[in-house]
Every structure is written in structure tokens, then in C-alpha cells.
Amino acid sequence: MAQTETVTTEASVAATKPDFIHRALRHRAFMIGLVLTGTMIFLALLSLFWTPHSPTEIVISQKLKPPSMSHWFGTDQFGRDILSMIMAGAQTSIVVGLIAVSLGAVIGVSLGLWAAARRGWTEDAIMRVSDLNMAFPVILIAILLTAGWGPGITNAILALGIYNISVFARQVRGAAIGMWEREFVLAARAAGKGDVAITFGHVLPNIISVIVVQATISFAIAILAEAALSYLGVGSQPPDPSWGRMLAESQKYIFFKPVIAVWPGLAIVLSVLGLNLIGDGLRDLVDPRLARRR
Amino acid sequence: MALLSVEDLTVELQTSRGMAAAVRGVSFELERGGTLGIVGESGCGKSITALSLLGLLPDGARATGRIELDGTDLLSLDEAALCRIRGNRIAMIFQEPMTSLNPVHRIGRQIVEPLRLHRGLRGAGAQEEVLRLLDRVGLPDPARRINAYPHQLSGGQRQRVMIAIALSCAPDILLADEPTTALDVTIQGQILGLINELVEDSGMGLILISHDLGVIGETVDKVAVMYGGAVVEQGDTDNLFNNLAHPYSQGLFAAVPRPGAARPDRLQTIRGTVPELTDLPPACTFADRCAMATDICWRQVPKMAAIGPRGTVHQTACHHVEGVG
Ligand SMILES: Nc1ncnc2c1ncn2[C@@H]1O[C@H](COP(=O)(O)OP(=O)(O)OP(=O)(O)O)[C@@H](O)[C@H]1O
Ligand SMILES: [Mg+2]
């Protein structure tokens, strides 16, 4: 992903809640994103209690069936119901995204805030380590972890989480430094507040929007990366459902049964698109300067 | 002993062209309850002087000299000790009331914080004190306003809130850095009036920074005129205004059109522009723009010397002004 430098936002979200909801409802891209992401979360939650068929049950007699009333999306080469697998796969995607983003956000935001508050060599050290970390693509980190501990979803999550630490640390550092230069921070210092109180009382509340936007975009990237890692065989392992592995397994049949590759592909595209639309929409909605222009 | 005594304060800042002195050998004193005005053009070091009193200089800055508050040298204090002085013994209000309040917190919360931090007030007691302070600074309907966000107040109201925050811990000194510059004229008068009143009532000292000579003349007992980081002239307000001695002060005051005074043919201004910090003349910083400058002005830093009749307080730093023996 391209590292956009510091989205500085005027962050008066708290102050303009009704207005925010009003503008959100009229922001078409944001609403489409909300619907797509909402559908994905709904399917994942539903799959916890109910799926049309078992996503793991192999019925060889039913293999490679086209879409029908009993199998809406058809069946795969082992006769498993594709819709059920997509629904269960959404769980995997969400779990991976949630943990990888939370891990990255909690550690990355802390490091970014620390770097901005301290500046000097603390900042240099944090940023150099994060540069080094970013120089390794997620796939490489995952493969390194796999070499050490064997393949598995935990390693994929860890690899993504580690990568996200750097993403959040840089984004938050940039935004936080901008806040430290603001006059209300100088006023807070002149009132006798220490660095910790200023960081949590003044800097963090004003960059929440930057963090939320980054989180949605990182979530989308995590879904994509989980699919890629599973596709490569270093992500989730059978029989855990995963969109990436569905894609990998459908590859052999791509020429005579292309439709079974379409479903997981569509699921990945739509959920990534949905989260990106939410991220972009939020960026517009929390930035009053952009909002007024449209 | 003076409440605050600044002696030979020099502040060097990091610039793109290396370290440069933004404040050069500044000395002044403030008695308990005294009022001092600092005037000078933009960039002459007024804000940096004020911020150095609080230990809030930009990263990489170096301050030397002495800043004594009740005999304690502030320059030798660590961050934790400075935090106990900031907002508690020395409070500051800023030029831009629009940006000096945090946009995401309600007014009430922002006033409670220093009360909790320095006075340990909490709960109902703190709430009561907030209302008292807001009432004191003349914010209408304080009970409702404590729930407002800064953007819901006007510039003048926000500055009143800033003043309430500054007053909250009954400081010994109030630093006001161009507190009315961003406000329109009628509000300016009200805010200055309020500051004057509060200073008189509470007996706190005031350091008022401004480039508006009118504001200074009406508000403070003593004035220091700064140019290029140095104080070039200082003294009792009336004395100084009536007998301007330093060529820069004369130019600065002549540049101000005075209502009532016969309008000069052409508004007098000081020739040239204020140079960059790193380009300031080495000795007398005004040498390159001064009509009276001679060799010595480039070689030797002029010393502060008393001028004017005995019994008055008035000093200037100029090689071409006769001191009194
Ligand atoms: N953070 C900084 N880094 C480097 N130089 C600075 C910094 N802040 C101020 N300066 C420089 O220090 C000098 C004095 O600045 P200062 O802010 O004290 O001026 P001032 O008298 O308050 O002017 P104004 O009336 O515009 O507020 C200026 O030349 C300014 O460019
Ligand atoms: Mg200033």
C-alpha cells in the first residue's frame, strides 16, 4: 500500500455528531461500503449458528455441481457446498483481520505516540526499526515464521500483526507530531501538564479519526493478505475454511469449471472494496475541509 | 527582592543555518503585583522570551543566563519541577484563542484540569470553582457554557475561557502574549479591561506582550522595547513614552499614526526590514538600519545605561545616547 503521509484531520467528530450521521447518510460510497461490510459481518455471524450445509462435509457424489436450489453457489470438487464455505470463510477473514489489526494498532499507536512525544533518539530508533520491518513484505515475514514454527493461521496473523505495527506507528507518529505543534498543546504545557497527560488528553483524542481510517484500510489489506497466504499454503490449513485456499483449490478446475473460482474471488473483492470505501468515506467525513468542498 | 528577575538571558535556536540567538542578553525585573510591557516588531523575540520563562523553548534551543522566581533559578529546574510552576505560579495566555483550546473537549473539562493538577480539586468543589472562574471573567451563562465545545464560542468568549484557565491557580505572574491581537477592536478593549481589573484585584504580576503601543501605554507601569532579540530601552511607561531615547524606539513610535496628533506628511517608518536571525549585526542589532550608526555600533555591544532625570527609572542601550554620570 502507498504510505500516504499524515492525514491531518480537524477531528471535531465529537462536536458534530448529528451532523456527522447526516453527512454519512448522504455519502454514497461510504454507504455502499457499509452495506458490503455489513453483509460480510452478517454472513460470518450467521455461519456461527447456521449454514445451508456443513462447510466441511465431503459428498463426492455431489462434486462440481452447478448452482441449484439446494446449492445456491454450486459445490466444489469434494461436493462441499460453496455458499456455506464462503460464509464460514468470512469468519476466518474477520478473525484474522480483527486480531492482526488490533495487534498492530495497539502496539503501533503506542509506539507512534511515544516517538512523537519524545522525539530525538527515541523517535529515530522506533522509526528505523519500523523502516526495517516495512522492508520485509508480509509474505516474507509469514514464510519466515512458517519456516520456524510450521504453517498455520496463527503465524499468518502474527506476520500481518507485525507488519501492521509499523504501519500504525508511522501514521500515528506523523499525525501526533502535527498535534504537538498545535497551539492548544503549547497552552496545555504552559498549564503544567506533563507529556503523558498531553499525549492521552490532547494528542490521542485529536488523531482518533486517523487511526480509525487506517484500521479499516489495514483490515482490508489483512483480508487480502490472509487470502494470499492461504493461497500459498502458509495461511489457514484444511479443514478450516478460507477464501484464499478455496481460490487455490479451484485453480485446477479453472478451465472447465471457472465458476467455482468466481465465488471466493468475488467474496474477497467485495469485502476488500467495502472496507476501502468505508475508510475513504470516513476520511472525507471526518475532515471538514473536504466535506465542505463536495 | 523582585518576584521575577531575568538576568542576561540569551536563547539560541536551531535554524536551517545553524544556531542563532533569538534573545540576546535580556535583563528585566518584575515586582510582586508589578506590570511590565514588552513591545517590538514581529520576530524580535518577545514570544521566545516569554516561553523561556516557562521552560517551553523549541526543541534544540539553548538558554543561558538566569531567570529567578523568588530566588529559584528556573533554568536549572528539571521538567517535573517546571510542570509545578507552569500554570500554577506562572500562567500564560496566547494570541489565538481560536486555536489554544482543544477542539474535542468541552470548556468545563479544560478548566477543571489545572484545578485538579495544581490544587487537587475534584467533583462538586471543582465544578463550583469552574463556575466561579467563568463568572469572574464575565462569560455569560457559565452553567450552560461549561458544556459547550470551543467552536461554539466566539473569539472573545474563548479568550475569556483562556483567562479563566490562567487564573484558576491564582498565579504570581500572568504572561499575556498578544492576548487581543486576534480579536476585533471592541472586544480587544473588553479583554484588556478584564486583564487590568484581574491584575489589580488579585495582585498578580503581569507581563504583557504586544506590538500595539496603545495597548501597552494603557495597561502597564513599565515597558521594555525589544529589537533583534535585545532590550534596547526600558523604563517607567510615562517616562519612556515621553522621552524616547533609543533610535529604534523613536522610529517605532514615529511609525504609529496617532489620532489627534497633527498628521505628518508622510508616515515615518524605519528604513529597511527586520533581518533574519542569522543575519543580525553582531554588536548592536539595530546598527544596519540605524541612521546614527557608526563604527563602534558594529564592534561593541552597547550596555544598558540609565538616562533621564534622577529618581526616574529609564535605561537604554545605545552608544549615541548620553547616560547620566
Ligand atoms: N521554533 C523555532 N525555530 C527556529 N526559529 C524560531 C522558532 N520560533 C521562533 N523562531 C525565530 O525566533 C525569532 C523570535 O521569534 P518570536 O516568536 O519570539 O517573535 P515575536 O517577537 O514573538 O514575534 P511576533 O510579534 O510575530 O509574535 C524569530 O526570528 C523567529 O523566526
Ligand atoms: Mg510572538
Side-chain angles (χ1 to χ4, degrees):
Chain A
M1 189 194 84
Q3 276 305 303
T4 39
E5 262 306 314
T6 324
V7 199
T8 317
T9 55
E10 212 45 54
S12 40
V13 191
T16 56
K17 257 177 208 147
D19 181 50
F20 178 85
I21 292 170
H22 201 74
R23 284 189 292 127
L25 286 172
R26 281 184 309 165
H27 193 294
R28 191 169 306 152
F30 178 74
M31 292 313 291
I32 293 175
L34 221 50
V35 169
L36 288 174
T37 308
T39 308
M40 169 183 156
I41 293 172
F42 173 75
L43 288 180
L45 288 177
L46 185 62
S47 74
L48 291 174
F49 313 103
W50 177 83
T51 48
H53 298 267
S54 158
T56 51
E57 191 192 358
I58 294 172
V59 188
I60 296 297
S61 60
Q62 293 287 311
K63 72 172 186 183
L64 296 171
K65 287 276 189 265
S68 66
M69 280 312 283
S70 66
H71 299 283
W72 286 10
F73 288 5
T75 59
D76 72 354
Q77 68 278 16
F78 298 119
R80 291 175 296 192
D81 179 52
I82 293 182
L83 177 57
S84 304
M85 291 174 77
I86 294 279
M87 286 172 71
Q91 272 182 48
T92 307
S93 294
I94 289 174
V95 167
V96 171
L98 224 47
I99 300 178
V101 170
S102 310
L103 184 72
V106 170
I107 302 177
V109 168
S110 312
L111 288 175
L113 289 173
W114 188 26
R118 275 298 164 83
R119 308 302 298 267
W121 68 264
T122 311
E123 179 187 21
D124 289 342
I126 291 172
M127 286 303 116
R128 289 302 79 75
V129 171
S130 107
D131 281 346
L132 191 70
N133 181 18
M134 302 261 294
F136 287 90
V138 182
I139 307 282
L140 196 60
I141 302 178
I143 290 170
L144 287 176
L145 288 176
T146 305
W149 289 290
I153 194 73
T154 317
N155 289 338
I157 292 175
L158 217 53
L160 277 164
I162 291 171
Y163 179 80
N164 275 335
I165 292 175
S166 301
V167 172
F168 278 94
R170 309 178 129 254
Q171 194 77 17
V172 165
R173 168 191 158 269
I177 285 176
M179 282 302 144
W180 274 98
E181 281 159 8
R182 296 285 287 268
E183 196 157 50
F184 62 79
V185 168
L186 183 62
R189 296 177 73 198
K193 287 190 150 196
D195 287 357
V196 176
I198 289 176
T199 294
F200 292 103
H202 296 272
V203 175
L204 185 59
N206 278 290
I207 61 170
I208 285 289
S209 55
V210 174
I211 298 170
V212 171
V213 169
Q214 185 57 54
T216 50
I217 291 170
S218 290
F219 203 123
I221 294 173
I223 289 178
L224 205 57
E226 184 275 327
L229 292 172
S230 300
Y231 179 89
L232 293 173
V234 289
S236 77
Q237 299 299 307
D240 289 345
S242 152
W243 295 344
R245 227 187 34 264
M246 286 172 74
L247 209 56
E249 288 171 359
S250 66
Q251 213 174 13
K252 281 178 268 180
Y253 310 94
I254 194 96
F255 292 113
F256 56 104
K257 284 281 181 205
V259 72
I260 63 168
V262 166
W263 300 119
L266 216 53
I268 294 167
V269 168
L270 290 180
S271 53
V272 170
L273 179 69
L275 284 162
N276 271 311
L277 289 177
I278 290 183
D280 285 353
L282 279 177
R283 202 185 329 238
D284 290 355
L285 291 169
V286 296
D287 190 337
R289 279 162 304 165
L290 282 176
R292 244 171 266 130
R293 219 180 295 143
R294 50 177 59 237
Chain B
M1 186 177 58
L3 172 64
L4 176 77
S5 124
V6 175
E7 240 181 85
D8 202 22
L9 174 69
T10 295
V11 180
E12 286 179 287
L13 299 179
Q14 247 168 11
T15 69
S16 51
R17 285 187 284 161
M19 298 297 278
V23 176
R24 305 171 179 230
V26 164
S27 302
F28 59 80
E29 287 194 342
L30 186 72
E31 302 296 332
R32 201 169 280 282
T35 55
L36 169 74
I38 302 180
V39 274
E41 279 168 289
S42 189
C44 69
K46 305 183 294 292
S47 298
I48 297 289
T49 303
L51 290 174
S52 62
L53 301 183
L54 291 170
L56 288 178
L57 293 171
D59 284 335
R62 215 167 37 220
T64 54
R66 290 183 78 76
I67 302 174
E68 282 187 5
L69 179 68
D70 267 342
T72 317
D73 186 5
L74 300 186
L75 289 180
S76 66
L77 293 184
D78 62 9
E79 186 66 15
L82 280 170
C83 279
R84 284 192 293 275
I85 287 180
R86 296 176 192 147
N88 191 19
R89 303 206 52 197
I90 305 181
M92 182 159 181
I93 52 180
F94 296 85
Q95 174 169 349
E96 270 295 338
M98 292 300 173
T99 55
S100 41
L101 288 167
N102 189 333
V104 302
H105 296 320
R106 292 174 202 272
I107 299 302
R109 167 167 174 186
Q110 304 199 42
I111 306 176
V112 163
E113 278 176 347
L115 293 175
R116 195 169 50 206
L117 190 64
H118 298 299
R119 287 170 59 184
L121 285 180
R122 269 159 226 284
Q127 196 72 2
E128 213 169 282
E129 183 66 2
V130 168
L131 290 176
R132 191 189 68 80
L133 285 165
L134 286 177
D135 193 54
R136 185 71 195 82
V137 297
L139 192 77
D141 200 2
R144 202 164 54 83
R145 287 281 155 57
I146 52 174
N147 289 317
Y149 288 97
H151 76 274
Q152 294 167 327
L153 303 185
S154 72
Q157 291 172 335
R158 288 188 217 192
Q159 198 60 296
R160 287 178 196 272
V161 171
M162 287 305 297
I163 293 172
I165 293 174
L167 282 183
S168 61
C169 299
D172 294 324
I173 300 173
L174 177 65
L175 286 175
D177 190 352
E178 315 222 16
T180 58
T181 312
L183 304 173
D184 60 46
V185 183
T186 47
I187 310 290
Q188 275 188 11
Q190 291 173 11
I191 296 289
L192 275 181
L194 173 66
I195 292 177
N196 260 331
E197 194 189 308
L198 293 171
V199 165
E200 249 164 52
D201 285 3
S202 66
M204 65 183 167
L206 171 71
I207 297 182
L208 178 71
I209 292 173
S210 182
H211 51 243
D212 186 331
L213 296 162
V215 165
I216 293 285
E218 283 167 26
T219 318
V220 294
D221 308 332
K222 289 188 176 169
V223 183
V225 181
M226 282 186 78
Y227 179 81
V231 172
V232 295
E233 184 167 0
Q234 61 183 344
D236 295 333
T237 309
D238 292 340
N239 243 318
L240 190 140
F241 272 50
N242 293 327
N243 312 291
L244 294 166
H246 196 279
Y248 174 70
S249 314
Q250 291 172 357
L252 183 68
F253 282 65
V256 181
R258 289 193 205 205
R263 197 191 152 87
D265 294 338
R266 199 166 52 84
L267 211 58
Q268 265 184 291
T269 53
I270 305 166
R271 65 189 172 132
T273 52
V274 186
E276 288 285 308
L277 279 189
T278 41
D279 299 336
L280 281 171
C284 173
T285 48
F286 191 52
D288 60 336
R289 295 174 75 192
C290 181
M292 293 160 78
T294 52
D295 232 21
I296 188 169
C297 304
W298 290 89
R299 280 188 285 102
Q300 199 183 324
V301 180
K303 286 215 167 53
M304 268 290 173
I307 52 168
R310 251 172 237 290
T312 60
V313 179
H314 191 177
Q315 303 170 295
T316 190
C318 176
H319 293 298
H320 298 283
V321 174
E322 285 292 311
V324 280

